[in-house]
Amino acid sequence: MPKIKTNSGAKKRFALTGTGKIKRKHAYKSHILTKKTKKQKRNLTHTSLVDKADVRNIKLLLALK
């Protein structure tokens, strides 16, 4: 059976934590920032964890499973 290739888009967007959870960045922080409040932009800066429902699919994209 051949090795599974890592999805190039996914490896740029997701990272593993030390405990094996998957980190992600928030959307809506790349452009059209003038109409967004400072508070909204500040809160979008922080990273968060991928939802439990999506972990399996992202692990497949990252060739972890």
Side-chain angles (χ1 to χ4, degrees), residues 32-49:
I32 314 176
L33 298 171
T34 52
K35 61 176 77 169
K36 294 172 185 149
T37 62
K38 288 180 185 178
K39 181 179 180 180
Q40 187 179 4
K41 290 183 278 191
R42 183 173 63 245
N43 290 336
L44 289 173
T45 299
H46 307 299
T47 58
S48 61
L49 297 175

Side-chain angles (χ1 to χ4, degrees), residues 18-62:
T19 56
K21 296 175 184 171
I22 303 174
K23 278 193 309 189
R24 67 173 179 86
K25 290 183 179 173
H26 283 281
Y28 308 110
K29 184 71 198 302
S30 57
H31 60 98
I32 314 176
L33 298 171
T34 52
K35 61 176 77 169
K36 294 172 185 149
T37 62
K38 288 180 185 178
K39 181 179 180 180
Q40 187 179 4
K41 290 183 278 191
R42 183 173 63 245
N43 290 336
L44 289 173
T45 299
H46 307 299
T47 58
S48 61
L49 297 175
V50 169
D51 192 71
K52 186 176 72 173
D54 300 320
V55 168
R56 184 173 172 274
N57 288 330
I58 292 169
K59 282 190 174 181
L60 287 172
L61 290 173
L62 296 173

